[in-house]
Amino acid sequence: DGGITQSPKYLFRKEGQNVTLSCEQNLNHDAMYWYRQDPGQGLRLIYYSQIVNDFQKGDIAEGYSVSREKKESFPLTVTSAQKNPTAFYLCASSTQTENTEAFFGQGTRLTVV
Amino acid sequence: AQSVTQLGSHVSVSEGALVLLRCNYSSSVPPYLFWYVQYPNQGLQLLLKYTSAATLVKGINGFEAEFKKSETSFHLTKPSAHMSDAAEYFCAVTFNDYKLSFGAGTTVTVRA
């Protein structure tokens, strides 16, 4: 079945450690996105990529890093520089045609203690 | 800048009653509009999207939305709420750059 897979579903890390969240898609989509979700704030864009080996900062990129070495994969690293990393992280992908919707993974809940 | 506003962070309805979720956008050019639903600890699922082919858009699970350019609105409705409609709903907008901007979300609870 085609879709987006995020792993792990739950992740616990100690403060000061970097952590990488996985996102893989087999939809053959060119564009991929990372969003952060906090209660009452909707979804905020962290990074996005429209083509392999290229990506752009979103609205809240500070403290995060990404790579896009393969079309299917767009991992997100939450670095120790991110001041408040505990959140629900959602990965999405889409084609790049007008009026196209984004398809979402099931999310990773990161808790930093 | 493009943005979308959802009026009301929480809506409570009785089972069988009308569900109305409000969404307004700010834009000087016609946007592309979407409604998504999210169940607890899950990703977002597309309910419907505005394609400009018709102002009244029908989606999954009995939901529909009407695009009103004069009011810059894209409100979501369902005539009769079901317990399974309890979830969080997001309105989203995009333009030619394909990036989605989301509203803050509206949580729907359904009373038996």
Side-chain angles (χ1 to χ4, degrees), chain B residues 2-110:
Chain B
Q2 65 200 50
S3 68
V4 61
T5 302
Q6 292 184 240
L7 300 176
S9 61
H10 186 258
V11 169
S12 180
V13 299
S14 297
E15 194 172 19
L18 171 73
V19 179
L20 170 60
L21 305 181
R22 300 179 188 275
C23 173
N24 289 87
Y25 66 90
S26 63
S27 168
S28 58
V29 297
Y32 299 115
L33 292 156
F34 307 81
W35 275 101
Y36 284 86
V37 61
Q38 184 183 33
Y39 299 99
N41 292 313
Q42 293 189 24
L44 275 67
Q45 178 183 6
L46 181 72
L47 275 177
L48 49 82
K49 65 180 180 181
Y50 172 61
T51 64
S52 77
T55 57
L56 184 62
V57 182
K58 293 189 182 299
I60 62 172
N61 301 341
F63 283 93
E64 62 182 33
E66 186 172 9
F67 175 72
K68 291 187 176 180
K69 185 177 179 180
S70 61
E71 299 177 8
T72 62
S73 69
F74 191 55
H75 301 333
L76 181 72
T77 60
K78 181 174 180 177
S80 178
H82 189 271
M83 298 298 288
S84 61
D85 295 326
E88 189 162 19
Y89 293 80
F90 293 94
C91 182
V93 62
T94 188
F95 296 88
N96 291 333
D97 60 1
Y98 314 119
K99 292 183 297 178
L100 283 168
S101 293
F102 286 87
T106 300
T107 299
V108 172
T109 57
V110 182

Side-chain angles (χ1 to χ4, degrees), chain A residues 4 28-33 92-96 100-103, chain B residues 98:
Chain A
I4 300 178
N28 199 32
H29 286 168
D30 289 316
M32 296 187 75
Y33 313 83
S93 71
S94 72
T95 62
Q96 296 197 81
T100 183
E101 66 268 30
F103 292 80
Chain B
Y98 314 119

